């Protein structure tokens, strides 16, 4: 099962990087929306509620994507190191990944299959010495 946990770790890191890239892209869109709102020609027309709402929505989604990606990256690294808390974090993220069809769902199913096995539970047992991942 160690091979499956290592593969799951790689998949979580890839999923995290993809979320971070999406978060940065949406953040750039948010700054573009703010630039349009604050431009001189636009300012002469007065405040525009819809443009402000769009910029705020972009910032919310960008922040969520960045947090989502960082959570997957941290969990992926911790899974590779067999940290006891990483198993629970991976399962919690898997529940939320179920709603991201089709790739998140596939990742969630593979996560459940890998992290809920008895062999993996023993691997993440805190009383067991943690192996060095470099060996």
């Amino acid at each position: 099962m160690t091979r499956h946990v290592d593969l799951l770790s790689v998949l979580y890191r890839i999923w995290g990087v993809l979320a971070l890239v999406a978060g940065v892209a949406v953040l750039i869109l948010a700054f573009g929306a703010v630039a349009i709102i604050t431009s001189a020609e636009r300012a002469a027309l007065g405040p525009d509620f819809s443009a402000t709402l769009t910029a705020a929505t972009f910032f919310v989604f960008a922040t969520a994507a960045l947090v989502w990606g960082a959570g997957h990256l941290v969990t992926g690294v911790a899974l590779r190191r067999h940290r006891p808390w990483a198993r629970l974090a991976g399962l919690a993220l898997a529940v939320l990944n179920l709603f991201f069809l089709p790739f998140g769902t596939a990742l969630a199913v593979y996560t459940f299959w890998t992290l809920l096995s008895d062999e993996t539970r023993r691997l993440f047992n805190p009383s067991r010495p943690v192996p060095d991942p470099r060996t």
Side-chain angles (χ1 to χ4, degrees), residues 33-123:
V34 169
I36 291 171
I37 292 169
T38 59
S39 68
E41 294 172 5
R42 194 79 182 124
L45 296 174
D48 188 4
F49 176 73
S50 61
T52 305
L53 181 64
T54 300
T57 303
F58 280 154
F59 275 115
V60 168
F61 279 110
T63 303
L66 292 172
V67 169
W68 184 253
H72 277 82
L73 277 177
V74 168
T75 302
V77 170
L79 282 171
R80 175 77 172 105
R81 294 180 180 165
H82 302 138
R83 301 284 186 244
W85 61 267
R87 184 175 163 271
L88 294 176
L91 289 169
L93 287 172
V95 169
L96 298 173
N97 277 332
L98 283 171
F99 300 103
F100 291 99
L101 297 170
F103 301 112
T105 305
L107 179 61
V109 169
Y110 184 63
T111 301
F112 292 140
W113 180 78
T114 303
L115 296 181
L116 291 176
S117 75
D118 289 333
E119 187 178 337
T120 304
R121 288 177 196 203
R122 287 190 299 273
L123 186 65

Side-chain angles (χ1 to χ4, degrees), residues 80-84 123-133:
R80 175 77 172 105
R81 294 180 180 165
H82 302 138
R83 301 284 186 244
L123 186 65
F124 283 89
N125 188 355
S127 63
R128 187 180 79 56
V130 177
D132 187 6

